[in-house]
Amino acid sequence: MKKLCILILLGLSFNATAQTPEEKGLEIANEADRRDTGFHDSTASMRMLLRNRQGEESTRDIRVRTLEVENDGDKSLTIFDSPADVKGTAFLSFTHKSGPDDQWLYLPALKRVKRISSRNKSGPFMGSEFAYEDLSSQEVEKYTYKYLRDESYDGADCYVIERDPVDKYSGYTRQVVWVDKAEYRPLKIVYYDRKNSLLKTLIFTDYRQFLDRYWRSHDMFMENHQTGKSTRLTWSNYIFKTGLTERDFDRNSLKRVR
């Protein structure tokens, strides 16, 4: 029996050390995804604060609706309520686990729905430092992963992993993500452009828990290191399981959003 126990322990030790950085990185990403699955749908309000290199600021008030889709990525509808020049603008996004996402933008001034080409997913969203691809749900299958190290960040023990976009039209070569070990929430993401130069940093703070499970950051600050511009997203009024359905995310819903 003693010999059997030793063999089992040796086997467990071998399996633990046999995990590659790629396997461990994927394991961390899958666990983060598992913990955020099952919320069904949510609504929230968001204030977008844009700041240019000279420090000049402008704000936009936005509502966001999200629908979780079984065996695929989330659907989301983003509606601009102010200022007046963008009021009524709506952005509809269908994220997919594989292949390009489907995205449309409704511009009330033109009364026209514009399809966002997958080749333009790296473009800025409504003048912000967030790209269209940053606003898609971050499905595990969209990246390959590699565990880099353990590291403390902002007082939290974190895994630091690298994820590389699978889509050749992504604006990034790689992203480095700090994931807190306690709740598997992203605390910081550093983005590198297509030339592998430092591009942007996104900081998540003011996390709050809903339904005793789902964590949402209420403050997301994106700084563009190449332009000196920044965008802060301040979230409020989160409500989960509101009863939203596929019909609320129909392409025709873009023209009738209120």
Side-chain angles (χ1 to χ4, degrees):
M1 178 60 75
K2 184 176 180 181
K3 184 180 289 183
L4 177 61
C5 291
I6 291 174
L7 288 173
I8 291 173
L9 288 172
L10 286 173
L12 290 174
S13 176
F14 176 79
N15 286 334
T17 57
Q19 191 177 38
T20 67
E22 289 77 14
E23 289 169 340
K24 185 169 182 176
L26 178 61
E27 181 181 79
I28 294 166
N30 278 326
E31 177 61 17
D33 182 67
R34 185 190 69 77
R35 293 186 181 214
D36 198 51
T37 297
F39 65 87
H40 189 269
D41 69 88
S42 68
T43 62
S45 301
M46 182 238 291
R47 170 157 288 191
M48 176 184 286
L49 174 64
L50 310 176
R51 178 175 294 166
N52 65 18
R53 182 188 290 270
Q54 290 72 38
E56 297 168 330
E57 297 181 347
S58 59
T59 60
R60 293 169 177 179
D61 290 312
I62 298 165
R63 287 170 289 147
V64 180
R65 302 168 183 169
T66 304
L67 179 69
E68 194 175 35
V69 179
E70 191 172 355
N71 298 320
D72 202 358
D74 297 344
K75 295 184 176 181
S76 65
L77 179 60
T78 305
I79 306 160
F80 286 74
D81 291 327
S82 70
D85 61 339
V86 296
K87 181 179 174 59
T89 299
F91 173 64
L92 181 64
S93 177
F94 295 176
T95 304
H96 301 299
K97 288 181 178 292
S98 61
D101 298 337
D102 293 309
Q103 297 179 324
W104 299 269
L105 187 68
Y106 175 66
L107 301 169
L110 303 177
K111 296 182 179 178
R112 187 167 69 90
V113 176
K114 174 185 177 184
R115 186 180 182 91
I116 307 299
S117 168
S118 60
R119 296 191 178 198
N120 294 329
K121 63 188 298 181
S122 62
F125 175 68
M126 296 295 288
S128 76
E129 298 313 305
F130 287 83
Y132 286 98
E133 64 181 301
D134 299 334
L135 299 174
S136 304
S137 63
Q138 302 296 294
E139 303 301 319
V140 173
E141 293 82 357
K142 287 183 169 295
Y143 302 92
T144 59
Y145 298 86
K146 182 168 64 178
Y147 164 79
L148 298 179
R149 61 187 179 273
D150 288 355
E151 187 173 282
S152 177
Y153 171 75
D154 198 25
D157 290 332
C158 293
Y159 299 112
V160 183
I161 62 173
E162 179 180 304
R163 60 183 190 184
D164 300 344
V166 173
D167 191 337
K168 63 180 180 180
Y169 296 119
S170 171
Y172 312 116
T173 53
R174 61 191 176 102
Q175 302 172 11
V176 179
V177 188
W178 280 252
V179 181
D180 81 277
K181 293 183 178 181
E183 302 292 347
Y184 284 78
R185 303 168 299 191
L187 300 184
K188 182 170 78 169
I189 304 176
V190 177
Y191 300 84
Y192 294 83
D193 67 14
R194 289 174 177 167
K195 296 180 180 179
N196 204 22
S197 297
L198 176 63
L199 177 60
K200 304 186 294 188
T201 298
L202 175 60
I203 304 292
F204 301 83
T205 56
D206 193 12
Y207 268 103
R208 302 176 203 176
Q209 192 177 34
F210 297 87
L211 305 181
D212 295 324
R213 176 170 179 176
Y214 306 107
W215 292 94
R216 293 293 181 270
S217 168
H218 284 59
D219 189 290
M220 301 165 63
F221 180 72
M222 180 78 89
E223 180 181 12
N224 189 317
H225 303 290
Q226 297 184 3
T227 66
K229 298 179 180 178
S230 65
T231 300
R232 182 182 296 279
L233 306 181
T234 306
W235 296 81
S236 61
N237 301 322
Y238 264 110
I239 303 174
F240 286 76
K241 299 185 184 297
T242 66
L244 293 173
T245 68
E246 294 276 355
R247 295 183 60 185
D248 296 300
F249 297 85
D250 184 271
R251 182 179 161 183
N252 292 325
S253 66
L254 282 169
K255 297 180 180 179
R256 61 174 185 267
V257 293
R258 293 289 186 272

